[in-house]
Amino acid sequence: MPAQLSQRQALLALNALPHVGPVTLRRLMDVFNRDAVAVLSAPRAQLLEVEGIGKKVADTLIDWPDQFDLAKEVTHMRRTGTRFFIQEDVKYPELLREIYDPPIGLYWQGEYIVDRPCVAIVGTRRSTLYGRRVAKRIAAELARLGFCVVSGMASGIDTAAHEGALEVGGKTVAVFGCGLDTIYPPENLDLYQKIVAHGAVVSEFPFGRRADRQTFPMRNRVVAGICQGVVVVESAASGGSMITARFAGEQGRTLMAVPGRIDQASSVGCHQLIRDGAIMVTSVDDILEELRYQRTQFPGEESQLNLGGEDTAQLQVSEAEQVVLDCFAGGEFGLLDDIAERLGKPIAELSGILMSLELKRLIVKRADGRFEAK
């Protein structure tokens, strides 16, 4: 054991060791009176007396210097401006400390420290324009009202939530399902840098830890644990956001969901949550009411979400374009052939109209080839 190992350093090591999960750590810390140094210096026989500690975990704890390079980790933290907040720190999120299995520490990048009520906005990576638009607008209004928006920086809904908060100068926290040296997805590097500059990115995982099926659920419990409420915007019936919703229920957080189209797979999870008792969200005022906050800022602002898209009144739309645009009313979307058949127009003529509407940024072509109104 390195000489003069501090409690914080011992927690860094415990947090990074393989085979030692949050529940196991909680048991060890309870048995050893929350003394991480004592855990790492305990003899094998004493470790094996702890419930749930088998030979593999005991050997890992005994041989921890061979499992984790503490000096390298500390050097990396200094180079990247990363801090490690433990539960005893006042900067550790207060609500997270109260859950059953809180992380024993959080790697933290960014100057922002949680100082206000937090609301999580989560959802599918395979989101629709409708879902991303709603997530961004909910996040923006919550941020303007003084909330911190929390999400997982994944593609789709998570990204839209972070962007919405940042665009109005609000605060947002991104919780990683990997080490902070791995930007996932890679295309969110610019978003990551903006969040570090104006909010914070956090993770319970050490540098070098890659995302996998185990880390994402662990990340989701932290997302819910930091917040007073969780809003799900688009999720498949078995999506990762449903795991976050389950954690919200177990942790006593207010669970909310935004309804979507009944024939859309990305709405199934939200409708299931609403059917099972989650609060249906159609405006930010629904969130404020459930969390028992009063709208004290921007009292004249329209509270009902504008789900119909940006104001397009100033754009000149021809009669033929308007006929095509009407096909997308109510969130409709479709393939070129389907729209042509519905309108009885030649594909060549319709292609030109769709291109014109795309150039006017009134519709967009999705990755699956279908068109959707913005």
Side-chain angles (χ1 to χ4, degrees):
M1 164 136 354
Q4 297 180 336
L5 189 68
S6 70
Q7 173 80 348
R8 193 176 304 273
Q9 290 172 328
L11 287 170
L12 264 173
L14 279 173
N15 186 67
L17 294 178
H19 316 305
V20 185
V23 176
T24 300
L25 283 175
R26 183 176 183 273
R27 290 172 179 166
L28 286 166
M29 295 296 286
D30 287 344
V31 170
F32 287 89
N33 298 315
R34 304 203 60 77
D35 187 343
V37 177
V39 174
L40 292 179
S41 58
R44 179 179 280 99
Q46 187 176 6
L47 291 171
L48 290 172
E49 291 177 357
V50 179
E51 180 185 358
I53 303 299
K55 184 177 182 300
K56 180 183 289 187
V57 174
D59 289 344
T60 297
L61 293 168
I62 293 295
D63 300 326
W64 76 264
D66 297 328
Q67 305 274 352
F68 176 66
D69 191 334
L70 177 60
K72 180 180 178 181
E73 191 82 352
V74 172
T75 298
H76 199 160
M77 290 174 61
R78 289 172 178 167
R79 187 171 65 249
T80 58
T82 304
R83 292 167 287 179
F84 186 73
F85 295 147
I86 62 177
Q87 294 178 24
E88 290 73 21
D89 291 331
V90 295
K91 295 180 178 179
Y92 189 98
E94 182 178 356
L95 285 181
L96 184 61
R97 190 185 293 119
E98 298 173 359
I99 70 174
Y100 172 74
D101 55 348
I104 62 172
L106 289 173
Y107 291 80
W108 199 283
Q109 291 180 1
E111 292 302 314
Y112 175 68
I113 303 299
V114 175
D115 60 353
R116 62 194 68 188
C118 296
V119 175
I121 299 176
V122 298
T124 180
R125 292 173 173 82
R126 303 180 65 180
S127 57
T128 65
L129 286 172
Y130 162 83
R132 294 194 295 276
R133 186 168 65 240
V134 170
K136 181 177 286 190
R137 291 181 178 178
I138 291 177
E141 189 168 357
L142 285 174
R144 281 196 297 261
L145 292 170
F147 290 86
C148 173
V149 175
V150 178
S151 199
M153 212 183 83
S155 302
I157 298 301
D158 290 16
T159 291
H162 292 303
E163 289 175 343
L166 291 171
E167 286 178 5
V168 298
K171 297 303 181 183
T172 186
V173 170
V175 184
F176 277 26
C178 54
L180 293 184
D181 57 339
T182 302
I183 308 305
Y184 184 83
E187 58 268 24
N188 271 357
L189 174 60
D190 182 61
L191 177 62
Y192 157 80
Q193 292 171 338
K194 290 178 180 178
I195 296 175
V196 171
H198 303 286
V201 294
V202 307
S203 175
E204 65 181 301
F205 303 107
F207 294 114
R209 179 66 184 271
R210 299 292 179 177
D212 56 38
R213 291 184 178 181
Q214 180 183 12
T215 63
F216 280 127
M218 293 174 67
R219 182 274 305 273
N220 293 347
R221 93 185 190 289
V222 175
V223 169
I226 291 177
C227 300
Q228 293 185 3
V230 173
V231 181
V232 181
V233 182
E234 292 192 329
S235 174
S238 58
S241 299
M242 300 297 280
I243 298 176
T244 308
R246 177 171 59 81
F247 280 122
E250 292 174 353
Q251 296 167 359
R253 307 306 189 237
T254 300
L255 179 58
M256 297 164 276
V258 175
R261 289 174 49 121
I262 62 172
D263 60 350
Q264 195 163 290
S266 59
S267 298
V268 174
C270 289
H271 294 161
Q272 179 179 315
L273 292 173
I274 293 170
R275 182 195 65 195
D276 292 342
I279 304 303
M280 184 171 68
V281 171
T282 60
S283 75
V284 169
D285 285 333
D286 292 333
I287 300 173
L288 298 179
E289 180 180 354
E290 289 305 316
L291 298 182
R292 299 185 179 182
Y293 285 100
Q294 298 293 322
R295 180 182 286 272
T296 57
Q297 295 176 301
F298 304 93
E301 186 176 6
E302 181 64 43
S303 63
Q304 184 70 26
L305 293 175
N306 174 15
L307 303 184
E310 298 178 1
D311 182 12
T312 60
Q314 74 276 17
L315 294 175
Q316 295 297 319
V317 179
S318 69
E319 183 177 345
E321 288 173 339
Q322 187 60 55
V323 170
V324 175
L325 199 57
D326 288 342
C327 290
F328 301 100
E332 292 280 351
F333 50 81
L335 294 167
L336 173 60
D337 290 347
D338 296 335
I339 301 172
E341 181 179 353
R342 176 177 175 180
L343 296 178
K345 289 182 177 293
I347 288 180
E349 177 186 346
L350 184 59
S351 294
I353 297 175
L354 289 170
M355 181 177 293
S356 176
L357 291 171
E358 280 191 273
L359 292 173
K360 292 178 180 180
R361 305 185 71 176
L362 295 177
I363 64 170
V364 67
K365 189 174 184 180
R366 294 156 39 118
D368 61 5
R370 293 187 290 179
F371 291 89
E372 183 177 6
K374 298 183 72 173

